[in-house]
Amino acid sequence: MLLCGWCLALAACAGSAILPEQENNYLATTVYQHTGWKHADGAPGFINAIAQTADGWLWLGSASGLFRFDGIKFEQITTLGGHPLKSNVISSLYAEGNTLWIGYQYGRASVFDGKSVRHFSELDGLPPGAIFGFARGPDGKMYAGGNGGIGRLDGQHWVHFWPNGGYGGMQANKMFFDQHGALWVNAYGDIQVNVPGGTRFDTVYRSPDASMAISPMGDIWIAGRSIGLLRSDPLRRQFEPVLPAGSNSGPLAVDFQRNGQMLLNRIGSIELVDNPNSMHSLARITVQNGLSGEHVLSNLLEDREGNIWVGTTGGLDRMYLSTLTQVILPPGTTQTGLTAGEDGRVWVTSDHDTSLMELDPQGHFSYSGLSGITASVRAADGVVWFGSETGVWRKRGAEMQFWALPKDLTGKPIMAMAPAASGTGVWVSITRLGLFLLQDGEWRRRAGRLDIPDLSPTSMLLDSQHRLWLGFSESRITMVDGDKVVNYESRDGLSLGNVLSLYERDGVLWAGGETGVARLSGRTFVPLRDADGHNFAGVSGIVQRANGELWLYGVDGLNRIDATIMQQVLRAGLTEVPAERFDYRNGLVGVPAQLRPVSSLIEATDGRIWYATDDSVGWLDPAHIRRNSIMPPVLITRLKADDVVYRDDNVSLPRNTRNLQISFTALGLTLPQRMHFKYQLTGVDNTWQDVGNRREAFYTNLAPGNYRFTVIAANEDDVWNIVGASIDFYIPPTFVQSRWFIALLVFGLMLLAGLLYLWRVRYLTARMRERIHERVQERERIARALHDTLLQGVQGLILSVNTATRYMRTDFQRGEAMIEDSLNHAEQLLSQGRDQVRDLRSGSELKHELSHALKEAATHLTRQYGIDIFVTCNTERRPLREGAAAEIFAIVREAMVNAARHAGAQFIEVQLEYSRRFLICEVRDGGRGIADLELLQDQREGHWGIPGMRERAQKLGGVLFIETRVGAGTQVTVAIPGHKIYLAPGWVLRLWRMLFKRRGPAASDALPPAD
């Protein structure tokens, strides 16, 4: 969109003879802004018709199709109610509520009520050829006019109405009903009217280029280049000339606003006239200053906010009332400054040859005769001081007095001025020369004081306590209070760059600079920023009104901070504040001074706020700011899901929808760029999402379910439409997201949990049975060990002692020898008992790794039996399950003990091997071997050593082999599968323990098999 910040009246002053001349002591003011959209901005060309429906849409009928416009985006409409348009060449539009009537250049018409559409053709009685307009008659019926004449819609069928004799006799290029119900028809210059209720038409004016219009007062106006501008005189029943004919500037057409203002259409320009009686021009737009095309094609449309729209051959144009009133100064005026005068007037200064003028809000001015004024200041008693490169003037009432600068001070512009505390002098800052006081006709540098910085202040202020404040570059401020001087720098919170403005009200000092604005609180300056935390940049003007509201004028515009917010600033120390901004969209043309003259913002004695730009001045009345009170309609324009567009109010989206984009708009056409949006998606957004001016919402990976998206909006003056617009949509679940799947999943998990519970119970029951069986076996083993060793040994010892006792009576020496043998046997029996106790006390775990434990056992047996035992392990050791090492140790130790006791060997070899699939342990001796086959086959009654070894090996899931030859020794081999005794990898072990953790000594039995 092309935004034209041109002052419309500037062009009017240059090219319109009806604008007031400056020789009449009047400067033109403008309150209208213009915006033009051309093809590069998305606007269609050759716009023949404009209409606005009640929902706020602006409809454009053009040679390239039907468009609708929300102030931001042009959208072409190719279908209505799901049906395509009858043609893309639109010749006329007419809106009633939300119903839109469409006339086509090549015949036919359509009517669309927002939901359904109906098309009309010649078969329905519609006038043939192009349809140029529609009108609702006093009888409540619709009339359509075009190339073939005028028809009236009776029920569902059109009937002929004009011209007499049937369709095709004359062409109606424009028609309307007046306040008396008479129908006026323009048949290409033949102006006709009928008697209300009748069918006869009379010609009241005829000219080939005549166009007609009706004013809000009911007057009929006719315009044409060859006839000028004519107004009907109902008393004399004729048309009276208002503007002469015969010039190229004569109007081609005329139209009216609701307030009676007139729009004149000429080739290459349009002009807005305030009052047809005075013909005072308000604005004039030409192709040179922004009009989108040479020829205006459409009728004037005044939208519901008061904006004026016209369509041209090149695009679309809008005029709207701005908030600010701009005063057009004489050409060549630059670096303007302002000082308040009397009775609401202001003094306008310029450092060029333009004379100092006194100006009122209506543009009336008078020259003072002074020129080259670069600074001015108004004292509290109403005295006004002016400064130039040659000296200063004091205006007191009607008296004007001049003091010349010393010769060594002339030639440099005065930057800033401030009244002296005495009330009879003035402080003057001269560029690059320093600060001077004019007192009693005498100029003194810094008033003869050395404690004041010898610099040229960029701004100065005498506050209500008669303290002098001096602003310098590089964030420095000095306060002079009598003999006291206080300097403020960056360490005191100043971060303003060049200090451009100083302002004080009610004891509160404000300072504005190129990088922000700050308030003095105690000994520290506290910055003030906008609601987004941004500085107010380039503030060269500050005004605080009596009601407390603060105005800041900087390079980004004029900012207003509400009085209630200012109370929080002063009382609670609020530093970030919401501000209402007035910029080029509100009629502000130019930027404020950033060096001199300052201040660029003043409050006049009548309460108006005046501002100065680089080449003009303007004002607004803060007590009567023009507001847009029209609540903006909010619409959701489309919903896009995974590249598919939906436009219904209730949408069912495809399953597994991932990306969702919702487009919306608010139809406020005055300042659509300042529209403010908030939206919320129920079930997703807990609070309203504040998105500023963004008109789209994006969501991804929404869960299945029903949703409602709601958007609300406010216009540029914060008028909210809290009802907003909503759209409901539904995302169905996929199978894995459906309730059936969830129910099946829950049922499956419950079933699995039940099965796991049953398996766990069965597992624990089996393990309990195994444990009981193990305990029974252990008892049997203990019983066998006691029977083989202790019981039999004690029994033999008893018999041996009894026999020795008998021999002691008859053969003492033999009896003594038997007693000695019995003692030796008792020692052996005691040693065997200790071995059994050691086996029982060792428990189910070893204190050391298996090979280490075997080596310790071998060392003990070597000391006990005096035989060499060698234990070797040539493979990498692997961790074993709980209890497995103890069982293998018991098997191998039993084999070593048996070999030590019974083999009569010189040595014993023990070989331990950790292979991937088996743990193998071999015990070899070079003794006498085993000749008793019953012993090897576990069939010898009363001997439980070898059967016990086999039972232990089988319990571990392994086997025991015994290979022996008489006289050649014996080899005992135990082989246990690795997956039975090796520990599983760490992560498997942790997972298994997490799932099947249980307490007690049998916990290790639940471990999973090894890899």
Side-chain angles (χ1 to χ4, degrees):
M1 182 179 67
L2 178 62
L3 292 175
C4 300
W6 293 51
C7 277
L8 306 184
L10 181 58
C13 289
S16 176
I18 63 174
L19 284 179
E21 299 290 341
Q22 293 183 6
E23 288 75 15
N24 297 328
N25 293 329
Y26 178 82
L27 294 176
T29 62
T30 177
V31 292
Y32 276 93
Q33 291 291 104
H34 167 249
T35 308
W37 292 265
K38 297 184 179 180
H39 181 71
D41 308 303
F46 286 89
I47 297 176
N48 298 314
I50 305 176
Q52 185 180 35
T53 46
D55 56 12
W57 281 112
L58 192 71
W59 295 86
L60 310 174
S62 74
S64 56
L66 179 66
F67 291 78
R68 67 181 185 181
F69 185 48
D70 63 355
I72 297 292
K73 180 181 179 181
F74 293 90
E75 179 183 4
Q76 184 169 10
I77 304 300
T78 58
T79 61
L80 293 174
H83 301 280
L85 297 175
K86 291 302 181 181
S87 172
N88 282 331
V89 184
I90 311 297
S91 56
S92 60
L93 296 173
Y94 181 82
E96 285 184 318
N98 281 325
T99 299
L100 182 68
W101 292 81
I102 305 170
Y104 301 99
Q105 183 70 37
Y106 299 111
R108 298 192 177 187
S110 302
V111 57
F112 177 59
D113 63 2
K115 295 182 180 179
S116 61
V117 65
R118 183 182 178 188
H119 302 293
F120 299 99
S121 67
E122 294 181 43
L123 298 177
D124 303 299
L126 187 73
I131 301 299
F132 293 133
F134 300 89
R136 180 69 67 180
D139 56 1
K141 296 181 178 180
M142 181 59 69
Y143 291 74
N147 277 343
I150 298 176
R152 182 182 63 201
L153 183 61
D154 286 341
Q156 302 298 317
H157 192 78
W158 295 88
V159 296
H160 167 263
F161 186 77
W162 178 89
N164 297 329
Y167 289 138
M170 298 185 72
Q171 300 177 354
N173 64 315
K174 186 171 183 178
M175 65 177 184
F176 55 76
F177 288 91
D178 65 15
Q179 58 189 357
H180 303 293
L183 177 61
W184 291 76
V185 181
N186 184 357
Y188 283 98
D190 192 358
I191 310 297
Q192 299 184 17
V193 62
N194 79 328
V195 178
T199 59
R200 185 175 63 87
F201 282 80
D202 298 323
T203 298
V204 296
Y205 194 89
R206 182 176 288 124
S207 176
D209 61 348
S211 66
M212 67 177 187
I214 183 171
S215 73
M217 300 300 294
D219 296 331
I220 305 300
W221 291 72
I222 297 176
R225 179 183 296 183
S226 64
I227 61 177
L229 181 64
L230 307 176
R231 177 170 57 185
S232 64
D233 185 345
L235 296 179
R236 301 174 62 183
R237 297 192 177 186
Q238 64 183 16
F239 289 89
E240 298 291 337
V242 177
L243 290 179
S247 66
N248 291 332
S249 62
L252 299 177
V254 61
D255 217 328
F256 288 89
Q257 288 186 262
R258 291 189 293 264
N259 62 4
Q261 292 178 350
M262 177 188 294
L263 186 73
L264 299 177
N265 168 21
R266 297 180 175 90
I267 295 178
S269 70
I270 57 175
E271 183 177 3
L272 186 65
V273 177
D274 181 26
N275 189 317
N277 294 320
S278 67
M279 297 302 292
H280 170 62
S281 180
L282 294 175
R284 187 166 181 256
I285 313 172
T286 67
V287 173
Q288 289 72 28
N289 66 11
L291 189 65
S292 63
E294 279 283 336
H295 299 280
V296 175
L297 301 179
S298 75
N299 57 300
L300 174 148
L301 173 76
E302 183 180 1
D303 67 24
R304 62 200 197 109
E305 299 170 49
N307 304 303
I308 302 170
W309 300 84
V310 293
T312 72
T313 52
L316 180 67
D317 291 88
R318 177 193 63 178
M319 287 189 293
Y320 64 96
L321 283 170
S322 59
T323 308
L324 309 178
T325 300
Q326 195 85 3
V327 180
I328 310 304
L329 297 178
T333 304
T334 59
Q335 293 185 333
T336 54
L338 291 167
T339 301
E342 301 298 333
D343 301 324
R345 296 188 298 272
V346 296
W347 292 96
V348 180
T349 66
S350 174
D351 65 352
H352 284 66
D353 293 335
T354 304
S355 178
L356 174 70
M357 69 174 65
E358 192 175 23
L359 180 67
D360 72 7
Q362 287 72 40
H364 299 99
F365 72 95
S366 61
Y367 285 120
S368 66
L370 305 180
S371 61
I373 302 299
T374 61
S376 59
V377 66
R378 179 185 174 94
D381 58 1
V383 172
V384 181
W385 295 85
F386 303 100
S388 71
E389 295 183 3
T390 60
V392 298
W393 286 263
R394 181 184 68 187
K395 185 179 186 304
R396 177 180 291 166
E399 177 190 0
M400 185 77 78
Q401 188 173 0
F402 175 72
W403 288 270
L405 284 168
K407 291 183 178 180
D408 57 342
L409 301 182
T410 59
K412 299 293 185 181
I414 294 177
M415 296 181 63
M417 303 176 71
S422 63
T424 59
V426 64
W427 290 91
V428 176
S429 172
I430 303 177
T431 304
R432 293 194 296 273
L433 296 180
L435 177 65
F436 298 86
L437 173 65
L438 173 62
Q439 186 80 38
D440 299 327
E442 181 183 358
W443 292 95
R444 290 188 297 161
R445 180 184 294 272
R446 291 179 289 166
R449 300 179 57 169
L450 300 178
D451 52 354
I452 300 176
D454 190 13
L455 299 169
S456 298
T458 54
S459 58
M460 293 194 292
L461 168 72
L462 183 69
D463 67 12
S464 58
Q465 302 177 39
H466 302 289
R467 297 177 298 182
L468 178 66
W469 294 86
L470 308 173
F472 301 95
S473 60
E474 299 179 356
S475 298
R476 290 175 294 176
I477 292 177
T478 296
M479 187 272 292
V480 181
D481 185 9
D483 296 332
K484 179 182 178 182
V485 175
V486 180
N487 294 309
Y488 298 88
E489 298 178 355
S490 58
R491 64 174 178 268
D492 302 304
L494 275 176
S495 181
L496 305 178
N498 294 329
V499 179
L500 303 176
S501 57
L502 294 166
Y503 183 86
E504 180 262 343
R505 188 175 187 120
D506 299 331
V508 179
L509 179 75
W510 294 90
E514 58 180 337
T515 59
V517 64
R519 170 180 58 92
L520 182 60
S521 176
R523 187 64 174 77
T524 304
F525 279 87
V526 180
L528 187 69
R529 300 182 177 91
D530 66 16
D532 296 325
H534 300 144
N535 289 325
F536 296 100
V539 176
S540 61
I542 303 173
V543 167
Q544 187 170 22
R545 298 180 62 214
N547 67 356
E549 69 182 16
L550 185 68
W551 291 79
L552 305 173
Y553 185 31
V555 294
D556 55 359
L558 190 57
N559 296 278
R560 172 186 169 272
I561 303 171
D562 193 76
T564 57
I565 301 298
M566 289 306 301
Q567 291 180 2
Q568 300 180 47
V569 172
L570 298 177
R571 296 177 182 177
L574 186 66
T575 58
E576 295 185 358
V577 296
E580 180 182 11
R581 179 164 297 169
F582 302 89
D583 56 17
Y584 67 94
R585 300 181 184 93
N586 304 95
L588 179 61
V589 179
V591 294
Q594 295 296 292
L595 179 60
R596 64 176 187 274
V598 291
S599 167
S600 59
L601 188 71
I602 65 168
E603 183 178 18
T605 55
D606 62 356
R608 283 183 171 89
I609 302 293
W610 285 79
Y611 60 90
T613 68
D614 47 3
D615 59 1
S616 64
V617 296
W619 59 267
L620 84 161
D621 186 351
H624 303 91
I625 297 177
R626 188 178 294 110
R627 299 294 188 185
N628 182 0
S629 61
I630 304 298
M631 183 176 64
V634 182
L635 299 172
I636 295 175
T637 56
R638 71 172 187 174
L639 184 150
K640 184 178 180 181
D642 292 337
D643 297 328
V644 179
V645 176
Y646 303 86
R647 297 186 185 274
D648 297 332
D649 294 334
N650 200 317
V651 181
S652 181
L653 301 178
R655 291 180 173 85
N656 206 30
T657 296
R658 295 296 183 188
N659 300 304
L660 193 68
Q661 176 183 343
I662 303 175
S663 300
F664 47 85
T665 189
L667 300 175
L669 300 177
T670 302
L671 290 176
Q673 304 88 347
R674 291 187 179 172
M675 205 65 67
H676 190 178
F677 294 93
K678 294 181 181 181
Y679 64 71
Q680 184 177 36
L681 182 61
T682 304
V684 176
D685 299 323
N686 295 325
T687 60
W688 288 97
Q689 305 299 305
D690 192 332
V691 293
N693 191 38
R694 179 160 59 86
R695 300 177 182 230
E696 289 180 321
F698 301 91
Y699 293 93
T700 57
N701 299 324
L702 292 177
N706 290 293
Y707 294 91
R708 167 165 286 191
F709 177 85
T710 304
V711 57
I712 61 177
N715 67 8
E716 67 273 14
D717 287 313
D718 213 33
V719 177
W720 280 94
N721 182 341
I722 59 174
V723 176
S726 299
I727 184 172
D728 297 316
F729 61 92
Y730 172 67
I731 301 178
T734 61
F735 174 71
V736 297
Q737 296 172 324
S738 65
R739 294 181 179 179
W740 284 108
F741 178 80
I742 295 175
L744 289 174
L745 183 62
V746 171
F747 176 76
L749 291 175
M750 293 177 62
L751 180 62
L752 179 61
L755 293 175
L756 287 174
Y757 176 77
L758 292 176
W759 176 84
R760 179 66 174 167
V761 170
R762 292 180 180 178
Y763 175 80
L764 293 176
T765 301
R767 295 304 298 158
M768 185 66 71
R769 289 174 180 173
E770 291 177 3
R771 182 61 65 187
I772 293 173
H773 179 67
E774 289 174 357
R775 290 179 180 177
V776 171
Q777 288 182 330
E778 187 67 14
R779 290 175 181 174
E780 290 178 353
R781 186 187 69 80
I782 295 173
R784 289 193 297 269
L786 291 175
H787 180 270
D788 289 345
T789 58
L790 185 62
L791 295 180
Q792 291 183 2
V794 170
Q795 184 179 4
L797 181 61
I798 293 172
L799 294 174
S800 177
V801 171
N802 289 333
T803 303
T805 302
R806 289 195 301 270
Y807 276 111
M808 288 292 290
R809 298 172 183 169
T810 57
D811 189 350
F812 181 80
Q813 291 182 349
R814 187 176 179 181
E816 184 180 19
M818 292 183 67
I819 289 295
E820 186 68 25
D821 290 339
S822 296
L823 290 175
N824 292 334
H825 183 66
E827 289 180 356
Q828 293 178 0
L829 183 61
L830 180 61
S831 175
Q832 292 177 0
R834 288 195 184 108
D835 291 342
Q836 294 296 327
V837 172
R838 185 182 300 110
D839 290 342
L840 293 176
R841 291 178 63 87
S842 64
S844 60
E845 285 297 328
L846 298 177
K847 294 181 180 180
H848 303 289
E849 190 269 334
L850 178 59
S851 60
H852 188 275
L854 290 176
K855 289 179 180 179
E856 287 188 345
T859 302
H860 175 73
L861 292 176
T862 298
R863 289 197 300 266
Q864 183 176 358
Y865 295 103
I867 186 172
D868 293 330
I869 302 176
F870 305 97
V871 178
T872 60
C873 180
N874 298 324
T875 58
E876 182 181 357
R877 297 165 178 78
R878 298 183 62 172
L880 304 178
R881 292 183 182 178
E882 182 179 353
E887 294 292 341
I888 296 173
F889 175 79
I891 295 172
V892 177
R893 185 178 180 281
E894 180 71 20
M896 290 192 297
V897 170
N898 289 338
R901 288 179 177 176
H902 308 296
Q906 299 297 321
F907 64 92
I908 299 174
E909 292 181 346
V910 179
Q911 178 71 37
L912 184 63
E913 178 183 354
Y914 293 87
S915 69
R916 188 178 67 85
R917 299 182 60 187
F918 292 96
L919 186 148
I920 302 173
C921 189
E922 297 177 349
V923 181
R924 296 185 296 271
D925 65 74
R928 63 177 63 94
I930 302 175
D932 192 343
L933 294 179
E934 292 183 356
L935 183 64
L936 291 176
Q937 296 174 1
D938 302 336
Q939 296 178 356
R940 185 172 178 180
E941 185 67 27
H943 290 270
W944 304 101
I946 294 177
M949 294 166 63
R950 293 187 188 277
E951 289 173 0
R952 290 182 186 275
Q954 292 172 359
K955 185 178 71 171
L956 293 176
V959 294
L960 181 77
F961 302 99
I962 300 178
E963 300 179 28
T964 183
R965 285 190 303 171
V966 177
T970 302
Q971 176 174 316
V972 179
T973 304
V974 58
I976 312 296
H979 69 272
K980 295 287 187 180
I981 58 172
Y982 291 155
L983 279 178
W987 67 271
V988 177
L989 182 63
R990 288 192 296 272
L991 178 62
W992 192 264
R993 286 178 175 174
M994 180 178 67
L995 293 175
F996 302 105
K997 182 179 180 181
R998 65 184 182 89
R999 301 182 183 276
S1004 62
D1005 297 333
L1007 290 173
D1011 294 337

